[in-house]
Amino acid sequence: NMPSVKKYLHVPTPEVYGSTQGWVKEDQPYNPSTPYAVSRAAAEMMLKCYQKQYRFPVVFTRSANVYGPGQQLYRLIPKLIVSIKKGIRFPLEGGGHSTRSFVHVRDVCDATWRVLINGDGAYHISSQMTYSIRGIVGLICEAMKVRFEDAVEPVLDRPGKDASYLLDSTRIRRLGWNDSVWLEDGILECIEWVNAEWDTLKLLPME
C-alpha cells in the first residue's frame, strides 16, 4: 500500500554468486563466499519476498566492476594510479590472476536509467570483455610509462576472494543498452582526473 513508489531499484553485487564458472545469467543461484556477500544475498532475498507477497515493485541491477573518475581511492584503478604517482608499490593480491569485467560509470548510469524506465526483474550490467587484474595493472603501467615490476608488490590473496565474476549482459542489451567506453579510454580518463585533482587526492586515504 505505497502508491507513491512506482519502482524501487536495488543495486546488489555479483559477489552473491561467489566465483562464477563461465558467463552466468540473472537466475544463477546464490553461492556467496564472504560475510559481506551473504548479507547482500539476504537483502535480495528479502526484497524478492516483498515482491512475491506484496507486489513490491523492485528491480535489480548487478554490475561488473564499475570504474571512472571520482571513484574512491581504495578501488583498483584509482588506487594503482595514485600509488604510481606517490612512488608506492601497489599490493597485487594473488599475483593478479583473478578475472573480471569492467564497465565505465557513464555506461552504468545509462543502463540504470533504462532499467528504471523499462525494466522488470534483474539485469546484469557488464562489458563482454574480460581481463585479469594483472592485465589491468599492465594497461595502467603502460599508460603511465612505468615498469610493471617497479609498480607492484605481490601479496597473498585475501580470504574468500572469488576467482572470477563473468556476467551475461544479454538481457539488458535487449533494452537497447550497449557499453560505449573502451577500457583503455576509460583508464586514460581516470589518469587525467587524478592528475587534475592531485593536490586534493594525494592527501586522501587509500584504504
Side-chain angles (χ1 to χ4, degrees):
N1 189 23
M2 298 175 65
S4 62
V5 180
K6 302 301 182 184
K7 189 175 290 184
Y8 178 84
L9 174 70
H10 185 63
V11 183
T13 169
E15 291 188 44
V16 298
Y17 299 135
S19 186
T20 64
Q21 298 297 319
W23 297 88
V24 298
K25 295 185 179 295
E26 288 83 355
D27 59 357
Q28 174 80 1
Y30 298 134
N31 187 30
S33 54
T34 65
Y36 167 77
V38 169
S39 71
R40 299 301 299 273
E44 278 203 50
M45 293 172 69
M46 179 64 75
L47 285 167
K48 287 181 178 180
C49 180
Y50 289 160
Q51 183 181 48
K52 180 179 180 180
Q53 298 297 334
Y54 308 111
R55 292 180 291 179
F56 186 67
V58 62
V59 290
F60 303 87
T61 60
R62 305 184 190 104
S63 294
N65 285 42
V66 182
Y67 76 99
Q71 192 172 32
Q72 306 99 319
L73 298 189
Y74 69 86
R75 299 290 187 178
L76 169 65
I77 291 176
K79 183 173 182 177
L80 175 57
I81 295 169
V82 172
S83 295
I84 290 173
K85 284 183 68 69
K86 287 185 174 182
I88 300 171
R89 287 183 178 269
F90 177 81
L92 186 61
E93 297 177 346
H97 297 298
S98 56
T99 303
R100 301 286 188 269
S101 290
F102 287 77
V103 60
H104 194 278
V105 65
R106 286 198 298 275
D107 287 330
V108 174
C109 290
D110 178 30
T112 301
W113 180 250
R114 291 172 187 271
V115 172
L116 277 170
I117 299 303
N118 296 311
D120 179 20
Y123 295 85
H124 288 161
I125 304 172
S126 177
S127 69
Q128 296 173 310
M129 300 290 291
T130 63
Y131 297 85
S132 68
I133 299 302
R134 186 180 183 89
I136 296 292
V137 172
L139 287 174
I140 295 172
C141 288
E142 181 179 356
M144 297 185 71
K145 297 180 171 55
V146 297
R147 294 176 67 246
F148 183 95
E149 296 77 10
D150 295 335
V152 304
E153 180 70 32
V155 298
L156 295 176
D157 257 336
R158 66 180 182 272
K161 183 177 180 181
D162 296 315
S164 66
Y165 303 123
L166 302 180
L167 306 179
D168 185 318
S169 56
T170 301
R171 190 163 192 262
I172 198 168
R173 294 177 191 276
R174 295 187 185 127
L175 296 182
W177 179 83
N178 280 292
D179 46 318
S180 61
V181 181
W182 289 101
L183 180 61
E184 291 83 353
D185 294 334
I187 286 174
L188 291 176
E189 186 180 357
C190 291
I191 294 171
E192 291 172 0
W193 163 66
V194 171
N195 288 336
E197 302 296 335
W198 183 241
D199 287 345
T200 298
L201 297 179
K202 67 183 179 182
L203 302 177
L204 299 181
M206 296 163 55
E207 301 295 339

